[in-house]
């Protein structure tokens, strides 16, 4: 399990999450993958020290992974940007159904509670918040490491939790996404952490 603790986040406030300045907008109602842009103080807003903007997010709905679905079934395909210092080409990283060790089934079994705790702070369920975080992390990572032991590329990006009333960042968590170094570049795992 990821080391993940929300005890450092005070309760009783209204929060939002940001990765690289992009604000997460939870889905409207109970329709997974349908996002409605919610302007923060009228859309793009300038405070005394910084500019804040919202992002209209459209998420691809994840395919179901039933009990009898094959490990190789694709649930969702994420795009990733070029990582120059690793000479890792831009491309796609599919999330497969997988098993208890990789893919959707692994993420759901091992990390859905962590994603749910973080997503709950911003009015989201685990799956929608994980989808947005994975998407942002693969497109705009703060770091990417080549892990030869695990034969993976490990992407990381900070998730900032901000109090909407004061605009203050009250906590920073991290989105961690591992993709295989093999030709498929498939997604192995994704989880939030405290460092």
């Amino acid at each position: 399990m990821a080391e993940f603790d929300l005890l450092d986040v005070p309760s009783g406030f209204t929060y939002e999450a940001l990765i690289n300045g992009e604000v997460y907008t939870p889905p409207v109602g109970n329709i997974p993958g349908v996002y409605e842009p919610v302007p923060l103080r009228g859309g793009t807003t300038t405070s005394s020290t910084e500019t804040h903007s919202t992002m209209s997010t459209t998420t691809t709905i994840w395919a179901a992974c039933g009990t009898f679905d094959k490990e190789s079934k694709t649930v969702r395909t994420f795009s990733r940007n070029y990582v120059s210092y690793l000479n890792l080409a831009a491309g796609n990283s599919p999330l497969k159904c997988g098993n208890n060790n990789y893919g959707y089934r692994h993420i759901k079994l091992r990390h859905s509670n962590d994603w749910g705790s973080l997503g709950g702070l911003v009015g989201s369920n685990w799956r929608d918040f994980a989808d947005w975080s994975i998407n942002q992390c693969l497109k705009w990572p703060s770091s990417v490491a080549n892990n030869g032991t695990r034969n993976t590329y490990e992407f990381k990006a900070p998730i900032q939790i901000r109090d909407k009333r004061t605009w203050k960042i009250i906590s920073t968590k991290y989105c961690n996404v591992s993709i295989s170094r093999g030709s498929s570049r498939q997604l192995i795992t994704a989880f939030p952490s405290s460092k």
Side-chain angles (χ1 to χ4, degrees):
M1 293 297 279
E3 51 178 89
F4 187 71
D5 183 14
L6 289 176
L7 295 177
D8 61 333
V9 178
S11 62
F13 298 101
T14 305
Y15 303 109
E16 62 189 0
L18 300 89
I19 295 180
N20 297 312
E22 296 294 340
V23 178
Y24 173 72
T25 305
V28 175
N30 292 323
I31 305 169
V34 178
Y35 293 79
E36 175 183 313
V38 179
L40 299 176
R41 296 185 187 168
T44 301
T45 306
T46 303
S47 70
S48 59
T49 58
E50 58 191 339
T51 300
H52 307 281
S53 65
T54 58
M55 181 179 90
S56 173
T57 308
T58 304
T59 300
T60 303
I61 296 174
W62 290 11
C65 278
T67 304
F68 300 107
D69 284 331
K70 294 182 179 184
E71 290 181 12
S72 60
K73 179 181 176 181
T74 299
V75 176
R76 160 107 155 82
T77 301
F78 293 92
S79 297
R80 58 173 202 285
N81 285 337
Y82 172 63
V83 180
S84 61
Y85 57 90
L86 292 176
N87 200 27
L88 176 60
N92 294 319
S93 290
L95 173 61
K96 305 283 188 178
C97 280
N99 57 37
N100 290 349
N101 298 313
Y102 78 95
Y104 170 80
R105 289 180 177 124
H106 165 79
I107 295 169
K108 183 177 179 187
L109 175 70
R110 299 280 310 275
H111 307 297
S112 63
N113 287 339
D114 295 333
W115 284 118
S117 294
L118 193 54
L121 287 172
V122 297
S124 183
N125 62 49
W126 82 268
R127 210 256 344 134
D128 288 323
F129 192 73
D131 182 88
W132 175 80
S133 298
I134 294 165
N135 190 51
Q136 291 296 104
C137 188
L138 289 174
K139 287 185 178 175
W140 311 111
S142 58
S143 67
V144 181
N146 182 351
N147 186 327
T149 305
R150 292 187 177 149
N151 201 28
T152 59
Y153 291 110
E154 297 177 353
F155 290 69
K156 184 174 237 172
I159 304 170
Q160 296 176 315
I161 305 300
R162 180 169 66 188
D163 185 327
K164 287 195 221 180
R165 297 175 307 158
T166 65
W167 296 100
K168 289 184 181 176
I169 302 300
I170 58 162
S171 184
T172 300
K173 304 299 178 191
Y174 296 88
C175 175
N176 302 273
V177 179
S178 295
I179 65 169
S180 71
R181 284 183 14 196
S183 61
S184 72
R185 302 283 194 248
Q186 75 181 15
L187 204 142
I188 304 299
T189 191
F191 57 91
S193 66
S194 295
K195 50 182 170 172

